[in-house]
Amino acid sequence: MPTPDVPAAATWRYPSSFWIANSIELCERAAYYGLFISLVLFLTNVAGFTDVQAGWVGAFFAALVYLLPFMTGALADRMGYRPALLLSFTLLTIGYAGVGLVPSKPGVIASLVLVATGASFVKPIIAGTVARTSDVASRARAYSLFYMVVNIGSFTGKAVAKPVRTGLGLDHVPLFAAGAAAIALVLVALFYRAPAPREDIARAEPPSLRGLVTVLKNGRFLALILITAGFWIIQGQLYASMPKYVIRMVGDQASPEWIANVNPFVVVLCVVPITQLARRLSPVASILIAMALVPCGALGMSASNLLAGTSFAGSVHPVTVMMIAGIALVGLAECFLSPRYLEYASKQAPPGQEALYLGYSNLNIFVAWLVGFISSGYLLEAFCPDPKTRTLAEQAARLAALADKTAMPEAWARAHHLWYFFVGVGGLAFVLLLAFQQVTSRRDRRR
């Protein structure tokens, strides 16, 4: 008698191509976040952009990283995994090196275009490799390892960027990123071989502009993207506003890189228990909790003025303390949002088009990076200006205030007001999501 099929048992053992792909992803994330946490500082302090100009350039770069996959996805699919990765990391290595070695305004912009183009190939290919090197029983474990590696890479890149910036100089941070990308390029060239497609993986259409137009014609889906972008606008200030704000209000010894790492630390620590606790909540209820927490996080970031003249543990500045508290709240909010957002987004799609819509669900981050970085430049210029743009007397008064830990001079006395804008963004997003839920629920009941 034929032996009945027995489902394969889940395992933590994967082929070498799985681990090579994850090593490549770790290097790429370390390079990306190492530069990203220092980008606005580099644009102003090294390349000579004003705060407003740096906001526009940062928005252009960060949004391009999320937009280009809709154009490069089909190209990568036709090229094949290995040639596409070789092209990707060649562009990334040249691009990161160009940022550091050609720090003129045109040179930096051209180099960032290369970086964004190279980055647009990587994640779909590595995620596809993870899928191809795991069976149905072990795929969830494979992706959990993959996302752990993503967070390790993010954490490592920002952690290394701190000693590079303070020890070697801000202009060396892009060169660190170029080195990490070059290591990934060597790994691809020497060790990476694309695994064969698996029969148990449905072949999805690669992202394209045609698909983008299709999903944006759906008013319900577009509204959800714009509303949830409110969360990511605030989360994006870890890179757009916080580095300049902390250094200008605390001093050059501040560590925005480590402060930003509070977010992935909280997410890694709390996402599993929170997901377990919130499993009985509907997706929209979980997202509403996130949208209620995130403006509280922005409010916490603004509250350092209430602690003026106070120090913690002997030397920790109140700006640092409240920034950590606010970012921790934002990380907590992310634990409620991220696990349920894709589930909720899929329900906004017409029947049979769920997979198509999920492929474009990260458009909210594209919108958020665009709006968040641009608004950040204007807010910094208004409330927390670049010291180099002020008079010598104001610069001296600021340095004296930092040394004595006394009240900042007039130009920076209202710096915390910039966070009130993001409190408003978060509050508006929460109200709009409530309205969205009520309207869509009413329409679904009528159907």
Side-chain angles (χ1 to χ4, degrees), residues 224 227-228 231 278 281-294 333-345 348 429-430 433:
L224 181 65
I227 292 168
T228 54
F231 170 88
L281 297 176
S282 67
V284 68
S286 185
I287 295 172
L288 279 168
I289 292 172
M291 301 300 274
L293 285 173
V294 73
E334 190 173 341
C335 295
F336 283 97
L337 176 75
S338 294
R340 308 303 297 274
Y341 169 69
L342 292 179
E343 180 183 352
Y344 190 54
Q348 314 311 311
F430 174 74
L433 185 61

Side-chain angles (χ1 to χ4, degrees), residues 131-132 134-136 139 196-203:
R132 289 184 180 186
S134 56
D135 56 27
V136 173
R139 194 156 297 142
R198 298 181 65 97
E199 294 181 359
D200 59 356
I201 303 174
R203 180 175 175 81

Side-chain angles (χ1 to χ4, degrees), residues 18-34 89 96 122-123 126 145-158 160 176-177 180-181 183-184 187:
F18 171 88
W19 301 109
I20 291 167
N22 277 278
S23 300
I24 292 167
E25 176 72 9
L26 189 151
C27 292
E28 191 276 330
R29 290 291 85 185
Y32 178 80
Y33 280 103
F89 284 106
Y96 285 128
V122 177
K123 182 157 287 188
I126 300 300
L145 288 171
F146 168 66
Y147 285 114
M148 182 178 71
V149 166
V150 168
N151 279 282
I152 292 172
S154 167
F155 191 95
T156 303
K158 286 178 278 192
V160 174
F176 153 69
I183 292 171
L187 289 174

Side-chain angles (χ1 to χ4, degrees), residues 59 233 237 366-376 421-422 425:
I233 286 173
Q237 297 314 303
F366 163 76
V367 174
W369 270 205
L370 202 61
V371 174
F373 271 81
I374 292 172
S375 59
S376 169
F421 172 80
F422 298 108
V425 168

Side-chain angles (χ1 to χ4, degrees), residues 247-314:
I247 286 180
R248 291 173 187 178
M249 299 302 294
V250 178
D252 291 337
Q253 79 279 9
S255 303
E257 299 89 349
W258 280 103
I259 293 173
N261 267 340
V262 170
N263 183 265
F265 177 78
V266 170
V267 171
V268 169
L269 193 66
C270 298
V271 67
V272 172
I274 285 179
T275 301
Q276 183 69 12
L277 288 171
R279 68 188 185 280
R280 297 184 185 276
L281 297 176
S282 67
V284 68
S286 185
I287 295 172
L288 279 168
I289 292 172
M291 301 300 274
L293 285 173
V294 73
C296 298
L299 191 61
M301 296 178 207
S302 74
S304 59
N305 66 303
L306 301 177
L307 305 175
T310 307
S311 63
F312 296 81

Side-chain angles (χ1 to χ4, degrees), residues 17 33 39 89 141 143 191-192 256 264 299 303 308 313 347 353 380 389 419 425:
S17 52
Y33 280 103
L39 180 60
F89 284 106
R141 292 183 178 183
Y143 275 111
F191 303 110
Y192 181 81
L299 191 61
K347 293 181 179 180
Q353 295 188 11
L380 284 165
T389 65
W419 298 108
V425 168

